[in-house]
Short mmCIF file of all heavy atoms in Angstrom, two decimals:
data_model
loop_
_atom_site.label_atom_id
_atom_site.label_comp_id
_atom_site.label_asym_id
_atom_site.label_seq_id
_atom_site.Cartn_x
_atom_site.Cartn_y
_atom_site.Cartn_z
N ARG N 315 117.17 379.87 188.76
CA ARG N 315 116.17 378.80 188.63
C ARG N 315 114.89 379.25 189.31
O ARG N 315 114.92 379.97 190.29
CB ARG N 315 116.67 377.52 189.30
CG ARG N 315 117.88 376.96 188.62
CD ARG N 315 118.28 375.68 189.27
NE ARG N 315 119.54 375.24 188.68
CZ ARG N 315 120.02 374.04 188.80
NH1 ARG N 315 119.39 373.14 189.51
NH2 ARG N 315 121.16 373.71 188.23
N GLY N 316 113.79 378.77 188.80
CA GLY N 316 112.49 379.11 189.39
C GLY N 316 111.54 377.94 189.26
O GLY N 316 111.73 377.04 188.44
N ARG N 317 110.53 377.95 190.10
CA ARG N 317 109.52 376.89 190.07
C ARG N 317 108.14 377.52 190.08
O ARG N 317 107.90 378.51 190.76
CB ARG N 317 109.65 375.99 191.29
CG ARG N 317 110.88 375.16 191.28
CD ARG N 317 110.85 374.20 192.43
NE ARG N 317 112.07 373.41 192.41
CZ ARG N 317 112.24 372.29 193.05
NH1 ARG N 317 111.26 371.81 193.77
NH2 ARG N 317 113.36 371.63 192.98
N LEU N 318 107.25 376.90 189.35
CA LEU N 318 105.84 377.28 189.38
C LEU N 318 105.11 376.07 189.95
O LEU N 318 105.05 375.02 189.32
CB LEU N 318 105.31 377.63 187.99
CG LEU N 318 103.83 377.95 187.91
CD1 LEU N 318 103.53 379.22 188.70
CD2 LEU N 318 103.39 378.12 186.48
N TRP N 319 104.60 376.21 191.15
CA TRP N 319 103.92 375.09 191.81
C TRP N 319 102.59 374.82 191.12
O TRP N 319 101.95 375.71 190.58
CB TRP N 319 103.70 375.40 193.28
CG TRP N 319 104.97 375.52 194.04
CD1 TRP N 319 105.60 376.67 194.40
CD2 TRP N 319 105.82 374.45 194.48
NE1 TRP N 319 106.76 376.39 195.06
CE2 TRP N 319 106.92 375.04 195.12
CE3 TRP N 319 105.74 373.07 194.40
CZ2 TRP N 319 107.93 374.29 195.68
CZ3 TRP N 319 106.76 372.32 194.97
CH2 TRP N 319 107.83 372.92 195.60
N ASN N 320 102.18 373.57 191.16
CA ASN N 320 100.93 373.17 190.51
C ASN N 320 99.75 373.90 191.14
O ASN N 320 98.82 374.30 190.44
CB ASN N 320 100.76 371.64 190.63
CG ASN N 320 99.85 371.10 189.56
OD1 ASN N 320 99.61 371.76 188.57
ND2 ASN N 320 99.35 369.92 189.77
N GLY N 321 99.78 374.10 192.46
CA GLY N 321 98.70 374.82 193.12
C GLY N 321 98.61 376.26 192.65
O GLY N 321 97.53 376.80 192.43
N THR N 322 99.76 376.90 192.48
CA THR N 322 99.78 378.29 191.98
C THR N 322 99.24 378.34 190.56
O THR N 322 98.49 379.25 190.20
CB THR N 322 101.22 378.83 192.03
OG1 THR N 322 101.71 378.69 193.34
CG2 THR N 322 101.25 380.28 191.63
N PHE N 323 99.63 377.36 189.75
CA PHE N 323 99.15 377.32 188.37
C PHE N 323 97.63 377.18 188.34
O PHE N 323 96.95 377.85 187.57
CB PHE N 323 99.81 376.15 187.63
CG PHE N 323 99.50 376.10 186.17
CD1 PHE N 323 100.22 376.87 185.29
CD2 PHE N 323 98.49 375.30 185.68
CE1 PHE N 323 99.95 376.84 183.93
CE2 PHE N 323 98.21 375.25 184.34
CZ PHE N 323 98.94 376.03 183.46
N LEU N 324 97.09 376.32 189.21
CA LEU N 324 95.64 376.11 189.23
C LEU N 324 94.91 377.33 189.78
O LEU N 324 93.79 377.62 189.36
CB LEU N 324 95.30 374.88 190.07
CG LEU N 324 95.72 373.54 189.46
CD1 LEU N 324 95.48 372.42 190.44
CD2 LEU N 324 94.98 373.28 188.17
N GLU N 325 95.51 378.05 190.73
CA GLU N 325 94.84 379.23 191.29
C GLU N 325 94.91 380.43 190.35
O GLU N 325 93.92 381.13 190.16
CB GLU N 325 95.48 379.60 192.63
CG GLU N 325 95.20 378.61 193.73
CD GLU N 325 96.01 378.90 194.97
OE1 GLU N 325 96.67 379.96 195.02
OE2 GLU N 325 95.99 378.06 195.89
N GLU N 326 96.07 380.68 189.77
CA GLU N 326 96.26 381.87 188.96
C GLU N 326 95.69 381.73 187.54
O GLU N 326 95.17 382.67 186.98
CB GLU N 326 97.74 382.22 188.88
CG GLU N 326 98.38 382.52 190.22
CD GLU N 326 98.04 383.91 190.72
OE1 GLU N 326 97.81 384.80 189.89
OE2 GLU N 326 98.03 384.08 191.95
N TYR N 327 95.85 380.54 186.96
CA TYR N 327 95.49 380.35 185.55
C TYR N 327 94.52 379.18 185.43
O TYR N 327 94.81 378.16 184.81
CB TYR N 327 96.75 380.07 184.72
CG TYR N 327 97.85 381.08 184.95
CD1 TYR N 327 98.94 380.78 185.74
CD2 TYR N 327 97.76 382.35 184.39
CE1 TYR N 327 99.94 381.71 185.96
CE2 TYR N 327 98.75 383.29 184.61
CZ TYR N 327 99.84 382.95 185.39
OH TYR N 327 100.82 383.87 185.62
N LEU N 328 93.35 379.30 186.03
CA LEU N 328 92.39 378.20 186.08
C LEU N 328 91.73 377.94 184.74
O LEU N 328 91.43 376.79 184.40
CB LEU N 328 91.33 378.51 187.14
CG LEU N 328 90.31 377.43 187.44
CD1 LEU N 328 91.02 376.16 187.91
CD2 LEU N 328 89.32 377.89 188.48
N ALA N 329 91.53 378.95 183.93
CA ALA N 329 90.76 378.80 182.70
C ALA N 329 91.61 378.37 181.51
O ALA N 329 91.08 378.15 180.43
CB ALA N 329 90.05 380.11 182.37
N VAL N 330 92.91 378.23 181.66
CA VAL N 330 93.76 377.90 180.52
C VAL N 330 94.44 376.55 180.75
O VAL N 330 94.53 376.06 181.88
CB VAL N 330 94.84 378.98 180.30
CG1 VAL N 330 94.22 380.30 179.92
CG2 VAL N 330 95.70 379.16 181.53
N THR N 331 94.91 375.94 179.65
CA THR N 331 95.58 374.65 179.77
C THR N 331 97.10 374.79 179.63
O THR N 331 97.82 373.87 179.98
CB THR N 331 95.07 373.68 178.70
OG1 THR N 331 95.26 374.26 177.41
CG2 THR N 331 93.60 373.38 178.92
N SER N 332 97.56 375.92 179.10
CA SER N 332 98.99 376.13 179.00
C SER N 332 99.30 377.62 179.11
O SER N 332 98.48 378.46 178.77
CB SER N 332 99.54 375.59 177.68
OG SER N 332 99.04 376.35 176.60
N VAL N 333 100.50 377.90 179.60
CA VAL N 333 100.96 379.28 179.76
C VAL N 333 102.37 379.36 179.21
O VAL N 333 103.18 378.47 179.42
CB VAL N 333 100.96 379.68 181.26
CG1 VAL N 333 101.59 381.04 181.46
CG2 VAL N 333 99.55 379.67 181.81
N GLU N 334 102.64 380.43 178.46
CA GLU N 334 104.00 380.65 177.98
C GLU N 334 104.57 381.86 178.71
O GLU N 334 104.05 382.97 178.61
CB GLU N 334 104.03 380.90 176.48
CG GLU N 334 105.43 381.03 175.96
CD GLU N 334 105.50 381.04 174.44
OE1 GLU N 334 104.56 380.60 173.79
OE2 GLU N 334 106.51 381.51 173.93
N LEU N 335 105.62 381.61 179.46
CA LEU N 335 106.31 382.66 180.19
C LEU N 335 107.53 383.10 179.41
O LEU N 335 108.23 382.28 178.84
CB LEU N 335 106.76 382.17 181.57
CG LEU N 335 105.68 381.76 182.56
CD1 LEU N 335 106.33 381.22 183.82
CD2 LEU N 335 104.79 382.93 182.89
N ILE N 336 107.76 384.39 179.40
CA ILE N 336 108.97 384.90 178.78
C ILE N 336 109.85 385.43 179.91
O ILE N 336 109.49 386.38 180.60
CB ILE N 336 108.66 386.01 177.76
CG1 ILE N 336 107.80 385.43 176.64
CG2 ILE N 336 109.93 386.62 177.22
CD1 ILE N 336 107.30 386.43 175.65
N VAL N 337 110.96 384.79 180.10
CA VAL N 337 111.88 385.14 181.18
C VAL N 337 112.94 386.06 180.59
O VAL N 337 113.65 385.69 179.65
CB VAL N 337 112.53 383.88 181.78
CG1 VAL N 337 113.50 384.26 182.87
CG2 VAL N 337 111.46 382.93 182.28
N ARG N 338 113.01 387.26 181.15
CA ARG N 338 114.01 388.23 180.71
C ARG N 338 114.97 388.45 181.87
O ARG N 338 114.56 388.66 183.00
CB ARG N 338 113.36 389.55 180.33
CG ARG N 338 112.51 389.47 179.11
CD ARG N 338 112.02 390.85 178.70
NE ARG N 338 111.13 390.70 177.58
CZ ARG N 338 109.82 390.90 177.63
NH1 ARG N 338 109.26 391.27 178.75
NH2 ARG N 338 109.08 390.74 176.56
N ALA N 339 116.26 388.43 181.55
CA ALA N 339 117.27 388.66 182.58
C ALA N 339 118.34 389.58 182.03
O ALA N 339 118.71 389.49 180.86
CB ALA N 339 117.89 387.33 183.00
N SER N 340 118.78 390.47 182.87
CA SER N 340 119.89 391.35 182.49
C SER N 340 120.83 391.47 183.69
O SER N 340 120.40 391.42 184.83
CB SER N 340 119.38 392.72 182.05
OG SER N 340 118.73 393.36 183.12
N VAL N 341 122.10 391.63 183.38
CA VAL N 341 123.12 391.70 184.40
C VAL N 341 123.83 393.04 184.28
O VAL N 341 124.19 393.47 183.18
CB VAL N 341 124.14 390.54 184.24
CG1 VAL N 341 125.25 390.66 185.26
CG2 VAL N 341 123.45 389.21 184.35
N SER N 342 124.01 393.68 185.39
CA SER N 342 124.80 394.92 185.41
C SER N 342 125.80 394.80 186.57
O SER N 342 125.49 394.24 187.61
CB SER N 342 123.91 396.14 185.60
OG SER N 342 123.26 396.08 186.85
N VAL N 343 126.97 395.32 186.33
CA VAL N 343 128.04 395.21 187.31
C VAL N 343 128.49 396.61 187.70
O VAL N 343 128.76 397.44 186.84
CB VAL N 343 129.23 394.40 186.74
CG1 VAL N 343 130.37 394.38 187.73
CG2 VAL N 343 128.79 393.00 186.38
N THR N 344 128.53 396.83 188.99
CA THR N 344 129.06 398.08 189.52
C THR N 344 130.42 397.75 190.12
O THR N 344 130.50 397.02 191.11
CB THR N 344 128.13 398.65 190.60
OG1 THR N 344 126.83 398.76 190.06
CG2 THR N 344 128.61 399.99 191.08
N SER N 345 131.47 398.25 189.48
CA SER N 345 132.80 397.88 189.93
C SER N 345 133.77 399.01 189.61
O SER N 345 133.52 399.87 188.76
CB SER N 345 133.26 396.59 189.24
OG SER N 345 134.58 396.28 189.57
N SER N 346 134.90 398.97 190.29
CA SER N 346 135.95 399.96 190.03
C SER N 346 136.91 399.47 188.94
O SER N 346 137.82 400.20 188.56
CB SER N 346 136.71 400.25 191.32
OG SER N 346 137.32 399.05 191.78
N ILE N 347 136.70 398.26 188.43
CA ILE N 347 137.56 397.71 187.38
C ILE N 347 137.21 398.39 186.07
O ILE N 347 136.05 398.44 185.65
CB ILE N 347 137.37 396.18 187.27
CG1 ILE N 347 137.72 395.52 188.60
CG2 ILE N 347 138.22 395.62 186.15
CD1 ILE N 347 137.40 394.04 188.64
N LYS N 348 138.22 398.93 185.36
CA LYS N 348 137.99 399.70 184.13
C LYS N 348 137.79 398.82 182.90
O LYS N 348 137.01 399.14 182.03
CB LYS N 348 139.17 400.66 183.88
CG LYS N 348 139.41 401.63 184.99
CD LYS N 348 138.30 402.62 185.06
CE LYS N 348 138.61 403.65 186.15
NZ LYS N 348 137.49 404.43 186.53
N ASN N 349 138.47 397.69 182.82
CA ASN N 349 138.41 396.88 181.60
C ASN N 349 137.46 395.68 181.76
O ASN N 349 137.70 394.62 181.20
CB ASN N 349 139.81 396.42 181.21
CG ASN N 349 140.46 395.59 182.31
OD1 ASN N 349 139.90 395.45 183.37
ND2 ASN N 349 141.64 395.08 182.03
N LEU N 350 136.36 395.83 182.46
CA LEU N 350 135.39 394.77 182.67
C LEU N 350 134.44 394.71 181.48
O LEU N 350 133.83 395.72 181.11
CB LEU N 350 134.60 395.02 183.96
CG LEU N 350 133.62 393.95 184.38
CD1 LEU N 350 134.36 392.66 184.71
CD2 LEU N 350 132.84 394.41 185.58
N VAL N 351 134.34 393.55 180.84
CA VAL N 351 133.49 393.37 179.66
C VAL N 351 132.43 392.34 179.97
O VAL N 351 132.72 391.24 180.46
CB VAL N 351 134.34 392.90 178.45
CG1 VAL N 351 133.44 392.67 177.25
CG2 VAL N 351 135.41 393.93 178.13
N LEU N 352 131.18 392.67 179.70
CA LEU N 352 130.07 391.74 179.90
C LEU N 352 129.62 391.22 178.54
O LEU N 352 129.25 391.99 177.65
CB LEU N 352 128.90 392.42 180.59
CG LEU N 352 129.08 392.79 182.05
CD1 LEU N 352 127.85 393.52 182.55
CD2 LEU N 352 129.32 391.55 182.88
N LYS N 353 129.64 389.89 178.37
CA LYS N 353 129.10 389.28 177.16
C LYS N 353 127.71 388.77 177.48
O LYS N 353 127.49 388.15 178.52
CB LYS N 353 129.97 388.12 176.70
CG LYS N 353 131.34 388.54 176.22
CD LYS N 353 132.10 387.33 175.74
CE LYS N 353 133.48 387.73 175.28
NZ LYS N 353 134.27 386.58 174.87
#
């Protein structure tokens, strides 16, 4: 979860009325288990 504070929005993006963020996330597992499957 994340938050974008109104003050940060006004400071960083003062000239625009809307912003579209693309959130990308990836998971990697380092383990000794051989049959670990990530969906």
